Amino acid sequence: MELQSQVLLWELVLLHSELPSGSLPAASSVVSESTVSWAAGALAVLRCQSPRMVWTQDRLHDRQRVVHWDLSGSPAGGPARRLVDMYSAGEQRVYGPRDHGRLLLPPSAFHDGNFSLLIRAVEYADEGLYTCNLHHHYCHLYETLAVRLEVTDNPQEAGAHWDGEKEVLVVERGAPALLTCVNREHVWTDRHLEEAQQVVHWDRQPPGVPHDRADRLLDLYASGERRAYGPPFLRDRVAVGVDAFARGDFSLRIDPLEPADEGTYSCHLHHHYCGLHERRIFHLRVTEPVAEPPPRDSPGNGAQSHSTLPRGRSVINVIVPEGRAHFFQQLGYVLATLLLFILLLITVILATRQRRRGGYQYSDKKSGKSKGKDVNLAEFAVATGDQAVYRSEDIQLDYKNNILKERAELGHTPLPTKNIDLDKDPSSKLYCLASSDHFWGN
């Protein structure tokens, strides 16, 4: 008889608590959008992480879903206490010794979504705030429903009403009380094919291409299957970690990065079992590679260091100067060369001017002597007399015959002096003037 009444009671619970099963939206929501910049040739990492996407095989016999009822605010006072809990595997546990046989949860709770608590015979000690807590450790979901229970001796006061925040249930003492908690979302009722409902994919939009025409790059499934798409020049350079579903890290790595990789990248996370649909957007920009400056103690002056950076399948030679010291050193060489050239030019100009001035003075002196010199006949006569004295010296020579001796004596014999009166003999005067001009000219 007691078993039949219990079955009828649960049928009544299902009739009064029937609610339409809802469904989580399948459209993905944008949770983040950012602009990232990387240099060409570097390793680019687009971060896409979510702990809710971690997939682990259930080795605890489906203890990842649990429901438990707690009581707080009872007349006896004290903190909240656990009354009963049950795992999705069907294991039910009652904590209080006095509650054994009094508190019941439906065994099919995780199949039909009815987690209501039945109290067979309520007492005044049962009054308080009851909370129905649903935990899904696999999907990281936590839901709570509160119900206040009040006990009365007047049967006419029994009933239920809403106080704006929670349901208030008034029950006659000694009668059974049903605290309703129903959630028929498939995440609480279905368990099969969890790994088949987890998928992650990356999309790429070249500059100027809308979202609905994006190219698919990668598809990742929790079962381990992977599919690669995209253009050939990019397919071999993108990758996601092999343990992505174990760590919840689905970051995209592009190595090495090329200028043609610019565009908008989208990371889509879909967990159909847990109702997770998220999208993260990255606007990737590729900049020119930055060359590292040469070390300060690099040998050589004025030398240029060459660094080669990989840029996809091409090579770029970057010429890096050795700082300001190199510039000032070259400037000093130029200024010193220019100063030396100026000094040489000044020296040549001064030497040329000095030479020309000396030539003019010599010409003036020569012309002045030839024009203003007066002939002194007395000095001329003295010079002639000196010459005669010189010739009158007796020179002892040895000759082979007398003829040569006589000729030599005649040459050394002074000529007789002849007194010429220039006033009386004009022809002699002209001859003397011509002789004097010829002498001074030489």
Side-chain angles (χ1 to χ4, degrees):
M1 185 69 181
E2 183 180 358
L3 180 61
Q4 292 179 355
S5 61
Q6 183 176 353
V7 171
L8 292 175
L9 183 60
W10 282 119
E11 291 178 354
L12 182 63
V13 168
L14 293 177
L15 289 175
H16 286 280
S17 61
E18 184 70 27
L19 292 175
S21 61
S23 59
L24 294 177
S28 60
S29 58
V30 178
V31 297
S32 66
E33 185 173 0
S34 59
T35 300
V36 294
S37 179
W38 298 86
L43 169 63
V45 180
L46 306 182
R47 300 290 181 185
C48 183
Q49 301 171 340
S50 176
R52 295 186 62 186
M53 290 293 294
V54 176
W55 183 85
T56 55
Q57 187 176 3
D58 184 11
R59 296 187 177 92
L60 300 177
H61 304 288
D62 198 15
R63 291 184 176 232
Q64 294 179 347
R65 293 177 293 172
V66 61
V67 56
H68 60 86
W69 280 86
D70 299 337
L71 172 62
S72 61
S74 62
R81 61 187 180 92
R82 180 70 52 87
L83 297 177
V84 60
D85 60 21
M86 184 175 67
Y87 293 95
S88 55
E91 301 176 5
Q92 187 173 156
R93 180 171 51 181
V94 180
Y95 288 83
R98 63 178 293 270
D99 294 331
H100 284 280
R102 295 181 62 247
L103 304 181
L104 296 175
L105 287 174
S108 61
F110 286 99
H111 294 280
D112 52 27
N114 183 16
F115 306 95
S116 301
L117 177 66
L118 176 63
I119 306 176
R120 286 187 174 181
V122 295
E123 300 175 357
Y124 283 108
D126 295 331
E127 287 187 340
L129 181 64
Y130 290 77
T131 56
C132 172
N133 303 279
L134 296 175
H135 295 274
H136 200 309
H137 301 289
Y138 178 76
C139 295
H140 302 276
L141 297 178
Y142 307 94
E143 296 185 9
T144 301
L145 178 66
V147 179
R148 175 168 288 280
L149 176 63
E150 296 179 359
V151 181
T152 180
D153 291 330
N154 187 358
Q156 297 180 354
E157 295 180 356
H161 63 275
W162 184 261
D163 66 352
E165 295 182 355
K166 58 187 176 297
E167 180 186 4
V168 178
L169 180 63
V170 181
V171 182
E172 183 183 1
R173 185 172 64 90
L178 181 63
L179 307 182
T180 306
C181 179
V182 178
N183 191 325
R184 290 190 172 90
E185 296 290 348
H186 69 87
V187 68
W188 302 108
T189 58
D190 298 333
R191 179 179 177 269
H192 60 283
L193 299 179
E194 295 179 5
E195 64 275 8
Q197 299 186 29
Q198 282 183 267
V199 59
V200 176
H201 60 84
W202 278 90
D203 292 343
R204 175 181 178 269
Q205 302 167 233
V209 176
H211 171 66
D212 57 351
R213 300 185 62 183
D215 299 328
R216 181 64 54 86
L217 293 180
L218 292 172
D219 277 339
L220 310 174
Y221 297 91
S223 60
E225 181 182 359
R226 295 195 173 203
R227 300 175 184 176
Y229 309 94
F233 73 89
L234 183 60
R235 185 185 309 170
D236 300 334
R237 294 184 290 107
V238 297
V240 176
V242 294
D243 56 348
F245 282 97
R247 298 186 298 110
D249 186 0
F250 306 93
S251 302
L252 183 69
R253 300 164 61 91
I254 307 176
D255 186 22
L257 189 64
E258 295 184 0
D261 299 335
E262 279 193 350
T264 301
Y265 293 77
S266 302
C267 175
H268 299 260
L269 304 179
H270 296 284
H271 199 318
H272 300 285
Y273 173 78
C274 296
L276 173 67
H277 303 277
E278 296 179 351
R279 180 159 57 101
R280 292 166 174 80
I281 302 176
F282 304 90
H283 301 283
L284 177 61
R285 295 181 179 178
V286 182
T287 61
E288 292 295 329
V290 180
E292 297 182 359
R296 296 182 180 180
D297 55 350
S298 59
N301 294 326
Q304 294 177 339
S305 61
H306 300 266
S307 62
T308 304
L309 296 177
R311 188 177 180 180
R313 297 179 177 84
S314 60
V315 177
I316 301 176
N317 294 326
V318 181
I319 301 176
V320 182
E322 292 189 356
R324 296 184 177 180
H326 172 76
F327 171 75
F328 288 113
Q329 186 177 14
Q330 298 296 331
L331 182 61
Y333 291 156
V334 174
L335 293 178
T337 304
L338 183 61
L339 181 60
L340 182 62
F341 176 76
I342 293 175
L343 293 177
L344 182 61
L345 183 61
I346 293 175
T347 304
V348 172
I349 293 175
L350 292 178
T352 304
R353 294 184 60 183
Q354 185 69 22
R355 183 175 180 181
R356 289 180 179 178
R357 184 179 301 174
Y360 293 152
Q361 292 179 357
Y362 176 77
S363 177
D364 294 341
K365 291 180 180 180
K366 182 176 180 181
S367 60
K369 289 182 179 180
S370 60
K371 292 180 180 180
K373 182 69 175 179
D374 294 334
V375 180
N376 192 347
L377 298 179
E379 294 179 359
F380 184 78
V382 171
T384 303
D386 295 337
Q387 186 176 4
V389 173
Y390 171 75
R391 290 184 177 182
S392 61
E393 294 179 358
D394 189 9
I395 300 177
Q396 300 294 331
L397 297 175
D398 187 12
Y399 298 99
K400 295 181 179 181
N401 48 53
N402 296 328
I403 298 175
L404 294 176
K405 185 176 179 180
E406 291 178 359
R407 291 182 179 178
E409 290 178 356
L410 290 176
H412 289 284
T413 301
L415 299 174
T417 302
K418 181 178 181 180
N419 296 325
I420 300 173
D421 190 359
L422 296 179
D423 293 333
K424 293 181 179 181
D425 192 354
S427 60
S428 299
K429 184 176 182 180
L430 292 175
Y431 175 77
C432 292
L433 290 176
S435 300
S436 63
D437 290 340
H438 178 72
F439 174 79
W440 290 109
N442 293 333

